[in-house]
Amino acid sequence: MLFNSYIFLLLFFPATFLIYHLLVKLGKFTLSKAFLVAASLYFYGYFKPSYIVILIASILLNYLICTRIWSQAEKGCSKNILCKLLLACGCLLNVGILVYYKYTGFLLENLNFFFGTKFGAFSILLPLGISFYTFQQLSFLIDAYKGDNLKINLVDYSLFVTFFPQLIAGPIVLPGEMLPQFEDHSKRRLSWENMNTGLWFFACGLVKKCFVADTIAIIVNTGFGATSQLNVAEAWLTGIGFTFQMYFDFSGYCDMAMGIGKFFNIDLPLNFNSPLKANCFQDFWRRWHITLGRFMTQYLYFPLGGSRCSKPRALLNMVIVFVVSGIWHGAGWVYLLWGTFHGLCLLINRVWSDFTKKCPAFKIPLIPSIILTFFLQALLGMLFRAQSFSKTWQLLCQMFDFRHIAWISKPFGKAIEDYGFDRDFIIITYFAAVFTAFFLPNSFEMNDKLKNRPMLKMWITVIFLTVGFISVGRISPFLYFNF
């Protein structure tokens, strides 16, 4: 089920909200959480019920392993050989499920290519959100082994994994920030303040996704479908457009997820913090998909040695993290290379930063740094979207082929108009996206600024909801559903 659909907005969300809070009001706290788990499973399996079986099996197997680890801890045998084996089995189970559903086709294809084998190709449908809920369960399992989690029941564990606002596309939440909220008595009452804040974030996310991202997607999809035929203007709109589309699409989802969570008195973590304002790649990854970076740092970078080892080894650890991050995004050499390039850019960033500390005269000023970071990131985004070097190179050539300087051509404009949009309207949307991303406070900063101006905040929320609701008619999945 999509947040940007009428069935969610008019039926599922209102009904779930009302029934949950009615059960809480009646003092049925465990039942209210069980209901939320059931509603989340329905939300998850709305388009394909078989997804639910995979998710439930994953939850039960992981919970069973955790109970065995807890039983060993109660006997005073934590971190013994049995616990280590249980942890290893749990990690292999989660990674194995992810590899099977996400990478089997890619692995067989490459085995056939490199070793001349003849494994038959077969299609495995990727379950929605498997990359996200697998990482969440890995974090819980590792924390359980380390003794960081209190023993919890199956209902709470299931709610931690399945809570529907963040189930399909994050943010990736950690046990320590979610589990205490389930037991917090202050969160078992209807909070008008939380509902007001939640409505603000949901409205911001809805307009980001339905109005901005989906409008820019029209040019991006049209341009990437005909890279060799674009003039300079069309190529630039296509090339940088995907970065804005991705940002407003995924940031919009996370805003909506945070807003919905607030209606259930659950605080989800910040996942985007104006990443396009970043002045270097290191700054960019502190702002973009923050919870993925946090997971990779805590559960991969630190175990590899982090920055506690020699400097060359620390830089290698950083590159490894981004190679894994690239693979996490999808099965294909492009994803691996995209992650590797990001890792190398961060390596160069780190080395250059150390150099400029000794030689400040070589430090790049702030504005050029932001522009350079944006265009390098947009270049890697083009590779990510094009899924091939040839198409990326083709688009780059068109961007700098000044023999074909022109405004949007008739064929390109006709393709846009087939979607029911005027060319000028889409260009206005581009300017709005640029202005919003680079010059305006983000939704979290704006929420803080408007706390003392409730009427202005109310009117902005109403406008955003109206524009977003009207745009819901062009239903489109979120980009990160594919990852």
Side-chain angles (χ1 to χ4, degrees):
M1 192 179 296
L2 299 173
F3 293 160
N4 55 322
S5 64
Y6 289 123
I7 190 168
F8 177 86
L9 293 169
L10 300 178
L11 291 175
F12 177 83
F13 177 58
T16 304
F17 170 76
L18 290 172
I19 294 172
Y20 172 79
H21 281 287
L22 177 62
L23 291 171
V24 170
K25 187 72 174 176
L26 295 173
K28 309 292 184 181
F29 304 125
T30 301
L31 185 58
S32 67
K33 289 187 284 189
F35 166 74
L36 206 49
V37 171
S40 297
L41 290 172
Y42 176 80
F43 171 87
Y44 181 72
Y46 178 75
F47 289 123
K48 194 167 181 64
S50 60
Y51 288 158
I52 301 175
V53 178
I54 300 165
L55 177 57
I56 291 176
S58 176
I59 289 171
L60 292 176
L61 288 169
N62 275 280
Y63 186 73
L64 179 63
I65 293 170
C66 287
T67 57
R68 295 291 294 160
I69 291 174
W70 289 326
S71 68
Q72 290 297 304
E74 287 174 354
K75 296 174 184 177
C77 303
S78 61
K79 299 185 182 178
N80 62 8
I81 187 66
L82 178 57
C83 283
K84 292 180 190 296
L85 285 172
L86 287 167
L87 175 65
C89 288
C91 290
L92 286 172
L93 168 73
N94 284 288
V95 173
I97 291 173
L98 187 60
V99 167
Y100 174 75
Y101 281 104
K102 198 164 185 176
Y103 305 104
T104 299
F106 173 68
L107 292 173
L108 290 179
E109 180 184 329
N110 282 278
L111 281 173
N112 290 339
F113 178 80
F114 287 109
F115 299 102
T117 53
K118 296 182 179 179
F119 293 110
F122 58 97
S123 177
I124 301 174
L125 193 62
L126 181 67
L128 286 173
I130 189 169
S131 298
F132 290 90
Y133 68 70
T134 297
F135 271 23
Q136 282 191 203
Q137 295 197 92
L138 276 171
S139 71
F140 189 96
L141 181 66
I142 294 168
D143 286 359
Y145 171 77
K146 293 192 296 187
D148 293 347
N149 293 331
L150 295 174
K151 185 176 179 181
I152 62 171
N153 58 46
L154 180 59
V155 173
D156 281 357
Y157 178 76
S158 300
L159 185 56
F160 163 71
V161 178
T162 65
F163 186 49
F164 74 89
Q166 48 83 52
L167 172 60
I168 296 177
I172 300 169
V173 296
L174 301 180
E177 64 193 353
M178 287 294 285
L179 297 177
Q181 297 190 66
F182 298 157
E183 299 303 319
D184 189 344
H185 288 266
S186 68
K187 292 181 178 292
R188 293 177 178 176
R189 58 180 177 79
L190 203 61
S191 169
W192 293 104
E193 182 181 351
N194 278 347
M195 289 171 60
N196 178 45
T197 304
L199 195 62
W200 163 260
F201 283 121
F202 188 84
C204 289
L206 190 66
V207 81
K208 280 182 182 179
K209 162 61 179 171
C210 296
F211 182 74
V212 182
D214 287 354
T215 303
I216 292 175
I218 294 169
I219 275 193
V220 172
N221 294 337
T222 303
F224 275 101
T227 51
S228 62
Q229 302 165 27
L230 305 178
N231 62 40
V232 171
E234 294 162 353
W236 276 92
L237 290 171
T238 300
I240 68 169
F242 179 70
T243 297
F244 288 109
Q245 182 197 354
M246 176 67 83
Y247 169 64
F248 283 100
D249 187 283
F250 194 20
S251 173
Y253 181 96
C254 291
D255 278 2
M256 283 190 268
M258 175 170 279
I260 296 165
K262 285 285 188 181
F263 277 84
F264 298 93
N265 299 319
I266 297 295
D267 297 319
L268 294 177
L270 174 69
N271 209 24
F272 285 88
N273 186 17
S274 302
L276 301 187
K277 296 176 183 176
N279 62 4
C280 63
F281 265 74
Q282 195 171 356
D283 188 28
F284 176 82
W285 279 105
R286 289 194 189 109
R287 298 165 173 263
W288 178 284
H289 207 341
I290 297 168
T291 57
L292 175 63
R294 178 182 65 176
F295 179 92
M296 290 292 187
T297 300
Q298 189 167 330
Y299 297 102
L300 183 58
Y301 182 66
F302 288 159
L304 286 172
S307 57
R308 299 187 305 274
C309 43
S310 66
K311 191 167 184 178
R313 177 59 190 274
L315 293 173
L316 177 61
N317 291 342
M318 185 175 63
V319 174
I320 290 171
V321 165
F322 277 89
V323 170
V324 173
S325 175
I327 296 170
W328 176 84
H329 278 85
W333 289 106
V334 165
Y335 294 109
L336 189 148
L337 291 169
W338 176 83
T340 303
F341 287 151
H342 267 283
L344 292 174
C345 286
L346 274 159
L347 185 152
I348 294 167
N349 185 176
R350 184 74 62 85
V351 172
W352 181 258
S353 177
D354 291 343
F355 171 72
T356 55
K357 285 177 184 176
K358 298 175 183 177
C359 305
F362 289 91
K363 188 173 183 179
I364 304 172
L366 180 62
I367 301 302
S369 293
I370 293 173
I371 295 171
L372 178 61
T373 302
F374 172 77
F375 280 110
L376 284 174
Q377 197 280 324
L379 174 61
L380 294 176
M382 287 158 54
L383 175 63
F384 192 92
R385 173 62 175 80
Q387 291 290 294
S388 76
F389 279 104
S390 59
K391 185 171 276 193
T392 304
W393 178 250
Q394 204 171 53
L395 182 58
L396 273 172
C397 290
Q398 298 303 108
M399 289 172 74
F400 294 97
D401 185 359
F402 296 111
R403 296 171 301 172
H404 299 96
I405 297 177
W407 189 227
I408 294 177
S409 62
K410 286 185 179 180
F412 197 88
K414 177 64 168 60
I416 294 170
E417 288 165 3
D418 287 343
Y419 287 93
F421 285 91
D422 181 79
R423 285 176 288 179
D424 293 337
F425 174 77
I426 289 186
I427 300 308
I428 290 169
T429 306
Y430 261 78
F431 279 112
V434 171
F435 184 73
T436 302
F438 285 104
F439 299 103
L440 289 183
N442 60 41
S443 52
F444 305 94
E445 294 166 340
M446 187 69 77
N447 181 58
D448 290 336
K449 289 179 182 294
L450 293 174
K451 276 184 177 177
N452 297 322
R453 306 184 70 181
M455 288 303 296
L456 178 59
K457 182 179 178 180
M458 182 195 73
W459 281 112
I460 295 174
T461 302
V462 169
I463 292 169
F464 281 0
L465 283 174
T466 303
V467 172
F469 200 84
I470 292 170
S471 304
V472 163
R474 303 178 282 139
I475 293 177
S476 64
F478 292 86
L479 291 173
Y480 259 73
F481 281 13
N482 300 318
F483 310 135

